[in-house]
Amino acid sequence: MLTVSELFIYPVKSLGGIALDSAALTDRGFAYDRRWMLVDTNNRFISQREYPSLALLQARLSAGSLHIFHKTNLRQSIDVPLAPPAAETMMAGVWDDWCAVQPVSSEADEWLSEILSMNCRLVYMPEESHRKVDKRYAANDEITSLSDGYPVLMIGQASLDDLNRRMAQPLPMNRFRPNIVFTGGEAFEEDTMAHFRIGGIDFYSVKPCARCVMTTINQETASGAKEPLKTLAGYRGVNNKILFGQNILYRGSGVVRVGDRMEVMGRKPSIQF
């Protein structure tokens, strides 16, 4: 039996994630997932790929606000509203997409710029901003938040277990930043799950996730290494990409809970490596 074992959101793109017992699906992914991000002076997104120190900043949901703090010094923190007041929007870049966002506050910008030692701004994606997923994989003009490209990322625990058996030092799931983790089944079973259902919500696996250098960054220390990309390249590489996890679209709404059963409704062929 396949069972949802962990749920995560990442309110600020590229900052630390939050484990949840349940998560509500919105029109663009789980509630509060990647609705904020940091941008540079050219209004392009900033990530751990270029600035590993972002891993040391953590977000936490509290009553009416998003609390952002430094993992090694909890007194270094700032609060921003979960529902920022309406403000004039600007365009910000996420990979090849440009979408409407609004600045959060000059106070947040100053605090983040100082703690990260670079000029940056914190921006928020309002409800009116609609960023569509790649039309080659969309079924119903789905949208996403400020994620890399899709509203949900899913990984089977068995897949991480398989990877860790191949490495001298096992790694935690947070290296891969999934939204849904499930137990049961075989390693990389998510590769073949074309259509599955959780709590009456239909999910569709549309594209394997190509992994990057962010997976090599220790989320507690911000230090880098060669793993897990070195090991994954030996058995999960295809067309110069390293694949681990599946990007997911869905139809319907509701709440996903840890412990929910996953029912596979349709399969697709395994990835050929």
Side-chain angles (χ1 to χ4, degrees):
M1 183 174 70
L2 307 181
T3 305
V4 175
S5 57
E6 294 181 284
L7 295 168
F8 298 95
I9 59 170
Y10 309 85
V12 185
K13 185 177 180 67
S14 236
L15 269 58
I18 301 172
L20 300 174
D21 294 326
S22 64
L25 278 171
T26 72
D27 59 351
R28 67 198 73 196
F30 287 141
Y32 304 115
D33 187 43
R34 297 176 177 93
R35 293 298 293 268
W36 293 262
M37 71 176 178
L38 298 177
V39 297
D40 61 18
T41 54
N42 295 312
N43 288 349
R44 294 199 62 87
F45 82 105
I46 292 171
S47 83
Q48 289 184 37
R49 296 170 182 86
E50 300 83 22
Y51 302 97
S53 59
L54 292 179
L56 299 180
L57 292 182
Q58 178 70 46
R60 183 174 66 221
L61 298 173
S62 59
S65 66
L66 181 70
H67 183 66
I68 304 172
F69 60 95
H70 197 281
K71 291 179 180 179
T72 64
N73 186 348
L74 303 184
R75 289 179 295 181
Q76 290 184 304
S77 65
I78 192 170
D79 290 293
V80 300
L82 285 180
E88 185 175 349
T89 61
M90 63 188 211
M91 301 302 290
V94 182
W95 297 115
D96 294 331
D97 296 334
W98 287 85
C99 57
V101 297
Q102 64 183 62
V104 172
S105 70
S106 57
E107 179 187 9
D109 296 343
E110 292 170 6
W111 184 83
L112 288 160
S113 295
E114 180 178 357
I115 204 167
L116 293 170
S117 299
M118 62 176 169
N119 291 325
C120 62
R121 301 179 73 184
L122 181 66
V123 297
Y124 171 77
M125 172 183 266
E127 291 294 321
E128 297 76 20
S129 179
H130 287 183
R131 176 180 168 230
K132 292 187 177 182
V133 303
D134 191 327
K135 63 183 180 181
R136 293 174 296 175
Y137 302 98
N140 296 288
D141 287 327
E142 289 93 345
I143 62 174
T144 187
S145 61
L146 299 168
S147 65
D148 276 354
Y150 297 88
V152 175
L153 175 64
M154 183 178 74
I155 298 174
Q157 180 63 47
S159 303
L160 179 62
D161 294 343
D162 180 89
L163 169 63
N164 281 336
R165 283 192 292 268
R166 300 167 187 261
M167 299 201 309
Q169 183 67 38
L171 296 177
M173 186 65 80
N174 66 12
R175 291 293 187 96
F176 301 96
R177 302 176 73 81
N179 296 110
I180 299 174
V181 181
F182 69 92
T183 55
E186 304 294 327
F188 305 105
E189 184 154 349
E190 60 270 26
D191 290 350
T192 69
M193 294 164 57
H195 173 201
F196 59 96
R197 189 171 292 158
I198 305 174
I201 306 169
D202 290 300
F203 293 84
Y204 303 90
S205 174
V206 296
K207 184 180 181 294
C209 184
R211 310 315 305 221
C212 69
V213 69
M214 273 186 67
T215 61
T216 69
I217 299 169
N218 186 310
Q219 295 298 295
E220 304 307 319
T221 66
S223 61
K226 294 182 178 180
E227 294 290 11
L229 293 182
K230 180 180 179 181
T231 296
L232 283 171
Y235 75 115
R236 294 290 298 178
V238 60
N239 296 329
N240 295 317
K241 295 181 179 179
I242 296 172
L243 307 180
F244 194 87
Q246 286 286 323
N247 289 300
I248 306 294
L249 298 178
Y250 52 89
R251 185 177 302 164
S253 60
V255 177
V256 179
R257 296 176 174 84
V258 170
D260 280 352
R261 179 180 177 182
M262 299 172 56
E263 183 182 5
V264 179
M265 311 300 292
R267 295 282 185 179
K268 60 183 178 180
S270 298
I271 302 171
Q272 298 301 307
F273 293 96

